[in-house]
Amino acid sequence: MSDTPIEYEDLPIQGCEKPPNLPPQPTRLVKNIIIATICLGYFMVILDTTVVNVALPDITRQLGATTTGLQWIVDGYALVFASFLLTAGALGDRLGSKQVFLGGLVIFTVASALCGIAPNLWMLQSVRVVQGVGAALLVPAALALLNHSFADARERARVIGIWGGIAGIAGGAGPVVGGFLINALSWRSVFFLNVPLGMLGFLLTLRFVPLAPRFSWRGLDLAAQGTGIVTLGLLAFIFIQGGSWGWTSLPILSAGVVCVLAAGLFLFIERRTAHPMLPLKLFSSSTFSVATAAGLLLSFGFYGELFFISLFFQQVQGYSPFVTGLVLLPQMGVAVFASAFAGRVTGHLGPRVPMVIGLLLGGIGFLAMVFVGASTSYVLLCAMLMAIGFGTSFTMPAMTTAVIDSAPKANSGIAAAVLNASRQVGSVLGVALLGAFVSQRASFVSGMHTALGIAGGAFLLACVLTFVFVQRRTPPARE
């Protein structure tokens, strides 16, 4: 693989439609409003993830959910999020990132309201799927808007650092705000919280966020989209149900065979089509490929841990949802500083250094938690959680910069979608596989130890790959 800028000889530049009346040089105030508005959508997506984890025990009691049912509440959202990200990226490039971002806000906000009124587990799981569609539309469109709004590479790295910091604020606020709302009202209120935020984001986007270029040649590649959804859906099904049904049972083995066939068909379609949903030439860049793989491994470990650590504090330690939110706050809150700092470091040193440091620190934190028990001092546990939170948040802005800068600008939407799809796939597999260790062991703590060891290994593997293959500085992408 090579890290030279990717060239597309048949790129139909005439298909790029410049948006009308785009201000060439927005003022600093307008830039700040643009950043805040775009990040608000991402804030909602991350807030909803951490809020739901704190609410899981209450949902279990009120709706009668099993651990597998809880996994589907988390993974149904993440699975659809991952499955539609590539199509959402192509839609943003073709129809305009602002238009797709607005559509995502509407879908996510309406679905959040429906989650709040869900009368049973089945409806909650179903509407969480709709939320995943809204999230898939929001995230790549938001990153593409940031990419087009900030042309200077150093400024863009700083803005992506802010983007990661907003995620840290949302992650830190989620458990605390969610725990407070659950204690004061009910678990349903954590979904209603998204409604005013979504309405505010919609109005601010209409007023302040400029239009981005549209690339009318971009196809939607529905055949590849269908095979991609089948592949990811069956993969999640195998890992979630395999523990309870048996890994060698006929349904699980059959799903594995179909999953492999669907994945092969996806690659075949993408190699043969003129305008693929996922341009495979993107992966000729080692930086792009490894940063994408690191995103999967990072989310596998972090979101798997986030799923069972909330259960550990409430089921093993006996904490209330609100206290659980408080004890998780150091892990999530440190992301605010780590992400902003990572943006500055990336702007000066390139993405490899912060990625290596962050992944190494997070991996050490996971492996140290293997020795945690029911009587472990919270001071020690807090230090380990902070190491994981800092390492994860310090890595993500640099990882995003590496992916965006190593792809042509005409593919910025799809490049952002690929990274976020890899992260969501990692999240799905992390919750499914690591959650299975927790649910199937006689002792919750021993299963958690196994899951933590695997998560730490995933971080360290990503660290080694990054050190070997990611360039110190990504080359400027072709316009």
Side-chain angles (χ1 to χ4, degrees):
M1 291 185 292
S2 168
D3 273 299
T4 56
I6 302 164
E7 305 238 347
Y8 293 95
E9 294 83 357
D10 56 347
L11 183 67
I13 300 298
Q14 67 272 16
C16 176
E17 303 171 15
K18 293 293 182 182
N21 305 319
L22 180 63
Q25 291 294 333
T27 64
R28 173 53 56 187
L29 176 60
V30 172
K31 283 187 175 183
N32 289 337
I33 294 175
I34 291 171
I35 295 170
T37 301
I38 294 174
C39 287
L40 182 59
Y42 193 41
F43 179 91
M44 292 169 57
V45 172
I46 300 301
L47 181 75
D48 206 65
T49 301
T50 56
V51 160
V52 169
N53 278 281
V54 174
L56 291 177
D58 272 33
I59 294 174
T60 299
R61 286 188 289 270
Q62 292 191 19
L63 300 184
T66 62
T67 299
T68 300
L70 296 179
Q71 286 176 299
W72 279 116
I73 292 175
V74 177
D75 266 356
Y77 171 81
L79 172 62
V80 176
F81 191 176
S83 300
F84 282 93
L85 273 167
L86 295 179
T87 293
L91 278 173
D93 290 339
R94 181 180 177 85
L95 304 179
S97 297
K98 179 176 178 178
Q99 291 86 338
V100 172
F101 185 76
L102 287 169
L105 281 172
V106 171
I107 294 174
F108 192 90
T109 303
V110 172
S112 295
L114 293 176
C115 283
I117 63 173
N120 51 53
L121 182 64
W122 180 87
M123 181 175 175
L124 178 59
Q125 291 170 332
S126 300
V127 184
R128 284 282 288 170
V129 167
V130 180
Q131 266 193 315
V133 175
L137 294 173
L138 279 171
V139 175
L143 275 173
L145 286 172
L146 289 176
N147 188 41
H148 288 294
S149 299
F150 299 91
D152 179 74
R154 183 167 294 185
E155 186 178 28
R156 185 166 59 249
R158 182 185 66 84
V159 170
I160 291 176
I162 295 173
W163 161 276
I166 293 296
I169 294 173
V176 178
V177 174
F180 173 79
L181 290 174
I182 292 167
N183 278 355
L185 301 170
S186 75
W187 61 265
R188 299 180 184 277
S189 61
V190 303
F191 293 107
F192 289 132
L193 182 63
N194 290 325
V195 176
L197 294 178
M199 295 173 64
L200 175 63
F202 186 89
L203 294 174
L204 290 175
T205 302
L206 279 179
R207 174 65 181 86
F208 292 104
V209 176
L211 294 170
R214 293 187 296 165
F215 302 92
S216 58
W217 53 269
R218 171 75 70 205
L220 296 182
D221 201 4
L222 296 179
Q225 174 64 30
T227 54
I229 291 174
V230 170
T231 301
L232 293 176
L234 289 176
L235 197 60
F237 171 80
I238 290 167
F239 279 102
I240 291 177
Q241 297 295 151
S244 56
W245 290 3
W247 298 105
T248 58
S249 64
L250 181 60
I252 298 300
L253 292 177
S254 301
V257 172
V258 177
C259 179
V260 171
L261 292 176
L265 184 58
F266 173 83
L267 294 175
F268 176 79
I269 293 171
E270 293 301 78
R271 288 184 179 277
R272 296 293 296 270
T273 187
H275 299 298
M277 175 182 68
L278 175 57
L280 297 180
K281 287 185 178 181
L282 288 171
F283 294 96
S284 64
S285 164
S286 62
T287 293
F288 181 93
S289 299
V290 171
T292 302
L296 187 150
L297 293 168
L298 178 143
S299 292
F300 172 85
F302 180 75
Y303 285 101
E305 178 259 354
L306 191 62
F307 174 80
F308 60 72
I309 199 67
S310 296
L311 298 176
F312 170 77
F313 282 125
Q314 294 184 65
Q315 295 181 1
V316 176
Q317 302 259 339
Y319 294 159
S320 69
F322 180 63
V323 174
T324 297
L326 290 178
V327 298
L328 286 174
L329 184 59
Q331 181 183 49
M332 310 304 295
V334 74
V336 179
F337 165 75
S339 298
F341 183 44
R344 295 185 178 276
V345 173
T346 303
H348 287 283
L349 301 178
R352 187 174 76 170
V353 171
M355 285 180 67
V356 168
I357 292 174
L359 290 165
L360 178 61
L361 185 60
I364 292 173
F366 276 117
L367 295 181
M369 283 191 68
V370 170
F371 302 99
V372 166
S375 59
T376 301
S377 165
Y378 176 69
V379 174
L380 293 176
L381 186 56
C382 181
M384 301 171 196
L385 292 173
M386 290 179 68
I388 294 171
F390 184 93
T392 300
S393 304
F394 196 66
T395 302
M396 287 194 294
M399 180 190 302
T400 305
T401 299
V403 168
I404 295 296
D405 284 355
S406 60
K409 272 211 167 184
N411 289 103
S412 59
I414 198 67
V418 170
L419 173 61
N420 282 282
S422 73
R423 290 179 55 192
Q424 289 306 310
V425 170
S427 172
V428 168
L429 298 182
V431 172
L433 181 60
L434 302 185
F437 280 106
V438 170
S439 64
Q440 294 304 309
R441 293 297 184 94
S443 168
F444 183 100
V445 174
S446 64
M448 185 179 74
H449 289 166
T450 302
L452 286 166
I454 295 173
F459 264 60
L460 295 180
L461 174 60
C463 178
V464 172
L465 291 174
T466 298
F467 181 78
V468 174
F469 293 108
V470 172
Q471 281 194 329
R472 289 180 179 272
R473 290 189 178 276
T474 53
R478 178 180 172 180
E479 296 290 335

